[in-house]
Amino acid sequence: RLSWTMQELAKRTLVCTFAGVIYGAAWLVFIDGVAANKTLVDNPVEIKGSLGLIYLVGILGSIALFMINTVEPDDLNNDDVANKLKIWLFFAVMVGMAAIIIAIWVLAGPFAEENKDKSQAAGIGTLIQAILMLISALVFWVGKQIKSDGM
């Protein structure tokens, strides 16, 4: 039995480490996009007004990650709290999707229309960040479900 427990712990550790790497990469892509926008191009985009929404994407992605990972997968089978947790999980995924929608809106709207001849690095970095954050949250949650019998 001990070998199964060690195997389960190793699998969970590996999956959660991978999810953490994805989450870290999401922030690094965002930081790189904003930094490249300000330093590597001749005509940078000033991030103010509606372009300031790119900062909201990372905050919403982090909140979604937290919300998704507060739900224990085993609790979804508990009749007393299962419906409440499913609603919580639904809203958590919606927060993550809202981050992606905001990133798409900012990239397609203010970045593309108002700044056609300028760098799009910050907008593209924000969209990639939102997608990676939601993937990371889901990988974390799946990693918590790993059992010794496979899953």
Side-chain angles (χ1 to χ4, degrees), residues 88-118:
W88 176 262
L89 203 54
F90 173 77
F91 280 112
V93 173
M94 288 300 104
V95 169
M97 294 302 290
I100 293 174
I101 291 167
I102 291 171
I104 291 171
W105 177 77
V106 170
L107 180 60
F111 269 105
E113 292 174 7
E114 299 168 13
N115 302 296
K116 291 178 186 171
D117 57 339
K118 297 183 180 181

Side-chain angles (χ1 to χ4, degrees), residues 60-73:
L60 286 177
S62 296
I63 291 171
L65 182 128
F66 171 76
M67 288 176 70
I68 289 171
N69 286 291
T70 57
V71 175
E72 288 293 327

